[in-house]
Amino acid sequence: MGPVKNNPLLFFGLTIGLGLLGGLLYIIPKFSGHAGIRNDHIYHSQLTKGLNLGWRSAILGAAIIGIIGYGIRYMASDWFWPAVTVGIALLIIGLVLFVEHSWRNSPARAADPAGLSAYLGILGGTYLIGFYILLYWAPEHVTAWVTMVDPVKQGVFGGMASQWFLYGLLYTVIILVMGVRMIAKYRHNKYQIVRTLSVMFFQTAFAFLIPEILGALNKPQQDLKNIWPLDYDFFFGWQLDQFQSAGALGTFMLVWGIFLVIVGVPLMVHLVGKRWYCSWVCGCGGLAETMGDPWRQLSDKSVRAWKFERWIIHGVLVAAILMTALTLYSYFTGAESLFGFQTWKVQKWYGFLIGAGFAGVVGTGFYPLMGNRVWCRFGCPLAAYLGLVQRFQSRFRITTNGGQCISCGNCSTYCEMGIDVRAYAQKGQDIVRASCVGCGVCAAVCPRGVLRLENSSEDAGYRTVPERVIHVSEEEGVVMKF
């Protein structure tokens, strides 16, 4: 009951509508300025300059403790899986700090000078964290927000709106509006324009419209671009039953999903790198690239962060594989547990911790605090799978012309995945890091054209070597190749 219930469209216009309009009124004038990348005091803004290491660690620690603490209640006072999670976290910390001797190394740089800073960023992050907590674990408190979008749901697709329709609508609107901002900022670079249009299209069509249309037709609301293990419930029993009950369309969805995992991912990554998904198709990547772009420079470039990244993201991939194996075992045998592990509890804890806590609360809520690719860099199991293929089998790499590098550091600063690109450029090395999503922003912000995104043909090795290094010889002295 109340004014929102009586006038849902009015409140929809006063909130989402005015937000959309305000965003566009702020963004569109940017097209009249000079094209090209300028820092424009972004590092001094109270919204975008981030936190120093101490405050980032404190806020991240509080968030993790809060999630684990609530997880005990979520699991009906079952302490086992929260305790296992804490044990694994302590093991990873020990491996990174002591086994790999990372405790001796200071981070390469702090995201901000000493002291509490970026208070607007803290407020923005707190708001995002609060939204995801309500969305996932207390949806009764967003009933008024759902009521606002109910006329849209009923008028376009039919049926009653839920918190997931609200989320999908907001997600899509944000990517579309902030995608316009992305195009305005990087309009001097054709690759960035096409890439941004791609994520806007896939989010609108494949992640929002097509699933809603399928739901209106009483078919499984499957996002056809979502791939296991990111789509961790793809092999859950209820999902497999839903596919089978949907006839030929459901069979196609099941076969298509399996084909993407086994054939599509390795083939596409081999040809063009993990960028085909992470930077062109994925909804998580689309939100990070559009809404999260102002915070991309906050990614930690330290070796310590990279060591944590490797252990955590591959640990999540292993957890997804084990959980799915247990799920399929239970589905085909009818057994509810294996070696004492109950399937439904494993599924519930994985969905809570990884699907909601990591991907949502931390992954998006920490945009203004730790950068826009926290989830993609540290938690996404599909990114780990893609990265393994890219590291060892992909033709894609970023080639460098070290002879022209002036060590300005723009490339490293703008790398959202925490890669010290400048270090590679100075050495004349190709960048083949598993974490690289091929967004191409490092090349877009380079003032000297040092970096190139290539699907290396057979001649890439010998063609680029003599052009990207500084040759030193006793006879000729220093010979710079350009």
Side-chain angles (χ1 to χ4, degrees):
M1 298 183 294
V4 178
K5 176 68 174 178
N6 297 332
N7 302 282
L9 287 177
L10 173 63
F11 281 87
F12 177 85
L14 291 175
T15 53
I16 299 175
L18 286 181
L20 188 155
L21 179 62
L24 291 176
L25 289 176
Y26 175 78
I27 293 167
I28 291 176
K30 295 182 180 294
F31 283 94
S32 61
H34 294 289
I37 303 300
R38 298 175 307 282
N39 291 333
D40 291 338
H41 305 289
I42 189 172
Y43 309 117
H44 305 289
S45 168
Q46 284 295 340
L47 184 61
T48 58
K49 68 178 182 177
L51 303 171
N52 63 22
L53 179 63
W55 281 104
R56 276 185 292 160
S57 301
I59 295 177
L60 179 61
I64 294 174
I65 292 173
I67 291 172
I68 297 296
Y70 183 78
I72 297 172
R73 176 184 176 187
Y74 186 82
M75 297 297 289
S77 299
D78 185 345
W79 288 71
F80 179 77
W81 287 110
V84 169
T85 303
V86 172
I88 293 174
L90 294 175
L91 175 63
I92 292 176
I93 293 173
L95 288 171
V96 172
L97 295 183
F98 300 105
V99 177
E100 299 188 10
H101 305 292
S102 185
W103 62 272
R104 301 175 180 175
N105 306 117
S106 298
R109 71 171 184 88
D112 189 71
L116 180 59
S117 56
Y119 58 89
L120 289 179
I122 295 175
L123 292 175
T126 302
Y127 178 84
L128 291 172
I129 291 170
F131 171 77
Y132 274 91
I133 289 174
L134 295 177
L135 179 75
Y136 285 120
W137 303 320
E140 63 274 13
H141 296 296
V142 297
T143 302
W145 299 356
V146 176
T147 302
M148 288 191 307
V149 301
D150 199 52
V152 179
K153 171 72 172 179
Q154 293 187 27
V156 180
F157 304 105
M160 300 292 291
S162 66
Q163 76 265 35
W164 304 119
F165 179 81
L166 167 72
Y167 184 48
L169 180 64
L170 286 175
Y171 207 102
T172 303
V173 168
I174 289 171
I175 286 183
L176 291 177
V177 173
M178 298 305 286
V180 176
R181 177 200 168 278
M182 188 80 172
I183 293 173
K185 181 177 179 180
Y186 297 98
R187 65 186 183 279
H188 67 292
N189 190 294
K190 184 178 179 181
Y191 179 83
Q192 299 302 323
I193 294 174
V194 176
R195 185 174 70 91
T196 302
L197 291 173
S198 175
V199 297
M200 293 166 69
F201 166 75
F202 278 103
Q203 172 60 34
T204 304
F206 281 75
F208 183 62
L209 292 179
I210 292 177
E212 288 296 333
I213 292 172
L214 290 172
L217 297 174
N218 293 319
K219 301 295 183 179
Q221 288 185 272
Q222 183 67 13
D223 180 355
L224 296 177
K225 65 175 180 55
N226 213 357
I227 306 175
W228 179 91
L230 178 59
D231 186 11
Y232 63 89
D233 60 3
F234 183 83
F235 292 105
F236 281 16
W238 62 266
Q239 183 76 284
L240 295 176
D241 292 339
Q242 196 175 50
F243 286 146
Q244 295 180 53
S245 64
L249 179 60
T251 302
F252 166 76
M253 290 179 178
L254 178 60
V255 174
W256 173 252
I258 297 174
F259 173 82
L260 284 178
V261 175
I262 299 175
V263 179
V265 166
L267 178 62
M268 292 299 295
V269 174
H270 171 71
L271 295 175
V272 297
K274 66 189 288 187
R275 58 178 171 162
W276 78 272
Y277 191 80
C278 295
S279 291
W280 287 70
V281 174
C282 178
C284 302
L287 189 69
E289 292 288 354
T290 53
M291 186 183 83
D293 178 73
W295 299 292
R296 65 185 308 121
Q297 74 277 358
L298 301 183
S299 61
D300 194 330
K301 312 301 191 299
S302 67
V303 174
R304 181 186 299 175
W306 174 59
K307 291 179 178 179
F308 273 114
E309 172 188 332
R310 291 185 303 165
W311 282 105
I312 296 173
I313 194 170
H314 293 108
V316 174
L317 175 61
V318 171
I321 293 173
L322 294 177
M323 183 268 294
T324 302
L326 179 60
T327 296
L328 291 176
Y329 171 81
S330 296
Y331 182 77
F332 288 110
T333 64
E336 296 182 354
S337 63
L338 178 64
F339 303 125
F341 298 114
Q342 293 181 287
T343 302
W344 71 271
K345 284 190 176 182
V346 176
Q347 293 174 342
K348 185 177 181 180
W349 181 249
Y350 185 93
F352 168 82
L353 184 68
I354 307 299
F358 203 158
V361 175
V362 174
T364 304
F366 274 70
Y367 278 7
L369 308 176
M370 292 179 59
N372 60 327
R373 287 275 191 172
V374 175
W375 162 247
C376 309
R377 182 181 176 187
F378 292 96
C380 179
L382 179 57
Y385 175 29
L386 294 165
L388 289 173
V389 180
Q390 175 169 279
R391 178 67 180 85
F392 298 105
Q393 294 294 329
S394 180
R395 296 170 56 191
F396 169 75
R397 75 271 319 279
I398 300 176
T399 58
T400 61
N401 183 345
Q404 289 189 325
C405 180
I406 60 175
S407 298
C408 67
N410 277 0
C411 52
S412 293
T413 298
Y414 274 84
C415 180
E416 59 193 353
M417 298 303 293
I419 302 173
D420 189 359
V421 182
R422 178 173 59 179
Y424 285 87
Q426 290 171 334
K427 299 173 186 176
Q429 293 180 345
D430 291 346
I431 302 168
V432 292
R433 276 271 287 272
S435 57
C436 177
V437 294
C439 67
V441 172
C442 60
V445 301
C446 178
R448 298 282 289 171
V450 173
L451 306 166
R452 289 184 58 184
L453 278 70
E454 298 197 42
N455 301 325
S456 61
S457 56
E458 294 180 358
D459 69 334
Y462 67 81
R463 170 172 55 80
T464 56
V465 167
E467 297 179 349
R468 62 190 175 197
V469 297
I470 300 176
H471 298 274
V472 180
S473 66
E474 293 182 0
E475 294 79 13
E476 301 179 358
V478 179
V479 180
M480 301 186 69
K481 298 291 185 178
F482 297 101

